[in-house]
Amino acid sequence: MEYDFKKIVGAFAIDGELIRCERYGEGHINETYLATVNESGKEVNYIVQKINTNLFRDVDKLMNNIRLVTEFSRKKIAERGGDPDRESLTLVYTKTGAAYIRDAESGGCFRIYKYITDAIAYQVVEKPEHFYQSAVAFGDFANLLAQFDAKQLYEVLPNFHNTVKRFSDFENSLNADRFGRAKDVQKEIDFVLKRKEYCSRIVDLLASGEMPTKVTHNDTKLNNVMLDAHTGKYVAVIDLDTIMPGSICYDFGDSIRFGCNPAAEDEPDLRKVNFSLELFEVYVQGYLGALEKSVTEVEKKNLAFGAILMTYECGMRFLADYLDGDVYFRTHRAGQNLDRCRTQFKLIEDMEKCYDQMCKIVEKY
Ligand code: ADP
Ligand code: GN1
Ligand code: MG
């Protein structure tokens, strides 16, 4: 084991002996482990995460956000007769009541969540029903937090979906070209530059107040929702690091970006990467159905555009990271960020072609 997990898990309010602790999941940001503990003869699982402190500089404030949001949603879930341990992320606090520990040996920051049992986080949509369930999950999550006072939240990653800022970050990576990679990816660079006008549309609507700023999840990938292993129904929304003020067009768009593609996010064979209008409709139905009347006209008018914008932003971030030498998104092989960027651009081309149809579908619901 890379870290002394016996000691780390031992610092939390868990009454048992650690049996094993192994790498788990496919997140790009934190290091996730599945810990199995013997609690009076019973094997109980926990999710242990080493928090990415390169990115999350102020861990106290990050964890305070997560504490506030999970405690709020747990209360709401209990009030409506649900099971908070399963339907919400649940922090296990340390023996002294803290939300995380800083391990003296490695300097790493670790947190522990209760393991959501009998549930799966899918990497690609295997059945339309799963995607529908994820839409209902994120819609329901937004409803749950509708009364949560956003002012309590610390903006963990300022400008996270500020596409104007993202574009200028991209330009900086391009100008620096630290690894001399730009010359090999001119086609992808041009793809980004040609679409600069996309960047300011939602940023401006939020700034002028025409579009409401709401508490949003900001990382609404399919693999950030747990679905019941038997029924396929949604269980919980996870990965709460990026809960911040934002637009529902971002949350909606990010789900579409990831879920309406039957191939993996890093699929090297672009023939397998296609935007599915059928899945788009499935998501719209689930999401708008769950949100009901809380969606404004301006939001509705920009949902389809949000899908293109979030795909553009993500592709641009993957490309910038490729130019930077793969320092942000975890990679397992050379060229992975470039493959990720290319899948996003293929999806954008597809979406641009059927944009009118996407808008019509949104209008329908
Ligand atoms: P990252 O920020 O790196 O994406 P996540 O918090 O999304 O990390 O966790 C990575 C994966 O670990 C998820 O996709 C899911 O498969 C699994 N996971 C995370 N939290 C839980 C939990 N409480 N119960 C069960 N599985 C979990
Ligand atoms: C990262 O942590 P994860 O894997 O759920 C990233 C998202 C990207 C996504 C692309 C904090 O999400 O913004 O859309 O990868 N999270 C952060 O797959 O940057
Ligand atoms: Mg995740």
Side-chain angles (χ1 to χ4, degrees):
M1 272 186 231
E2 210 181 326
Y3 303 103
D4 187 348
F5 282 115
K6 266 205 174 3
K7 204 173 114 210
I8 291 164
V9 172
F12 287 79
I14 292 174
D15 200 7
E17 268 285 299
L18 181 70
I19 303 170
R20 59 185 170 267
C21 191
E22 286 152 2
R23 270 309 278 274
Y24 193 72
E26 297 193 34
H28 298 342
I29 301 298
N30 297 299
E31 267 174 47
T32 303
Y33 298 83
L34 179 68
T36 307
V37 176
N38 178 348
E39 294 183 6
S40 321
K42 209 173 126 217
E43 289 197 2
V44 181
N45 288 329
Y46 292 92
I47 290 288
V48 177
Q49 278 182 331
K50 179 169 179 281
I51 301 165
N52 181 333
T53 45
N54 283 332
L55 179 61
F56 303 116
R57 295 279 174 184
D58 195 328
V59 185
D60 279 343
K61 288 194 175 132
L62 167 78
M63 292 311 294
N64 191 50
N65 277 0
I66 294 181
R67 185 177 64 78
L68 290 171
V69 171
T70 53
E71 282 175 5
F72 184 89
S73 55
R74 283 177 60 81
K75 214 172 114 220
K76 288 273 171 196
I77 288 163
E79 278 167 16
R80 69 182 187 194
D83 173 2
D85 276 2
R86 193 146 187 273
E87 295 166 36
S88 165
L89 265 186
T90 305
L91 281 168
V92 177
Y93 293 101
T94 69
K95 286 182 172 135
T96 57
Y100 75 98
I101 62 147
R102 192 178 289 272
D103 173 39
E105 239 158 83
S106 63
C109 291
F110 292 84
R111 67 182 168 210
I112 297 187
Y113 291 117
K114 287 193 181 172
Y115 182 77
I116 298 169
T117 52
D118 296 311
I120 300 171
Y122 288 92
Q123 298 304 326
V124 292
V125 173
E126 290 173 8
K127 291 186 193 157
E129 171 65 12
H130 290 166
F131 197 41
Y132 178 81
Q133 286 297 322
S134 77
V136 179
F138 283 118
D140 188 43
F141 183 77
N143 286 339
L144 261 186
L145 291 180
Q147 281 136 29
F148 181 87
D149 178 11
K151 285 198 280 300
Q152 300 177 83
L153 287 181
Y154 163 70
E155 205 175 343
V156 185
L157 302 170
N159 295 314
F160 192 63
H161 286 312
N162 181 332
T163 25
V164 175
K165 173 81 170 45
R166 290 287 187 193
F167 187 89
S168 90
D169 290 347
F170 171 79
E171 284 182 314
N172 290 339
S173 299
L174 180 58
N175 292 335
D177 191 20
R178 288 184 49 224
F179 292 82
R181 291 178 173 180
K183 61 180 185 321
D184 305 322
V185 291
Q186 198 53 49
K187 198 172 131 217
E188 286 74 16
I189 292 168
D190 289 341
F191 188 98
V192 172
L193 299 179
K194 228 178 98 187
R195 289 165 175 78
K196 183 179 178 181
E197 57 169 32
Y198 284 166
C199 294
S200 56
R201 181 155 149 189
I202 292 185
V203 170
D204 288 350
L205 286 171
L206 288 173
S208 69
E210 280 166 86
M211 188 184 282
T213 298
K214 295 181 174 170
V215 180
T216 43
H217 182 280
N218 294 304
D219 190 5
T220 49
K221 296 199 287 192
L222 181 69
N223 65 8
N224 286 331
V225 181
M226 307 294 304
L227 302 182
D228 190 285
H230 309 290
T231 65
K233 296 263 181 288
Y234 89 86
V235 178
V237 166
I238 60 167
D239 200 347
L240 303 178
D241 290 323
T242 50
I243 290 212
M244 284 178 289
S247 161
I248 65 158
C249 297
Y250 298 153
D251 273 5
F252 173 84
D254 211 16
S255 293
I256 298 302
R257 170 190 84 70
F258 192 83
C260 289
N261 167 23
E265 190 179 55
D266 60 353
E267 173 59 56
D269 182 355
L270 291 181
R271 285 169 306 185
K272 294 184 185 157
V273 177
N274 298 293
F275 175 71
S276 162
L277 199 59
E278 289 74 38
L279 286 176
F280 178 80
E281 179 150 6
V282 164
Y283 197 90
V284 170
Q285 199 180 357
Y287 193 63
L288 288 183
L291 284 181
E292 290 180 354
K293 290 187 179 61
S294 65
V295 186
T296 71
E297 272 312 305
V298 176
E299 286 173 330
K300 250 181 123 169
K301 270 211 181 83
N302 285 283
L303 286 177
F305 174 71
I308 295 182
L309 185 71
M310 285 299 97
T311 313
Y312 175 67
E313 176 191 280
C314 202
M316 178 159 73
R317 290 174 66 196
F318 288 143
L319 185 57
D321 197 34
Y322 177 73
L323 295 171
D324 291 342
D326 309 308
V327 287
Y328 184 92
F329 297 103
R330 181 172 301 116
T331 53
H332 308 283
R333 56 177 170 84
Q336 195 172 6
N337 272 320
L338 184 56
D339 286 337
R340 287 173 178 151
C341 140
R342 287 178 173 149
T343 63
Q344 304 306 295
F345 294 171
K346 169 64 173 46
L347 291 171
I348 292 172
E349 282 173 344
D350 287 359
M351 283 192 259
E352 286 172 341
K353 279 182 210 141
C354 64
Y355 180 64
D356 290 343
Q357 283 161 283
M358 290 166 72
C359 292
K360 284 213 180 79
I361 288 171
V362 173
E363 268 166 43
K364 203 166 113 187
Y365 293 94

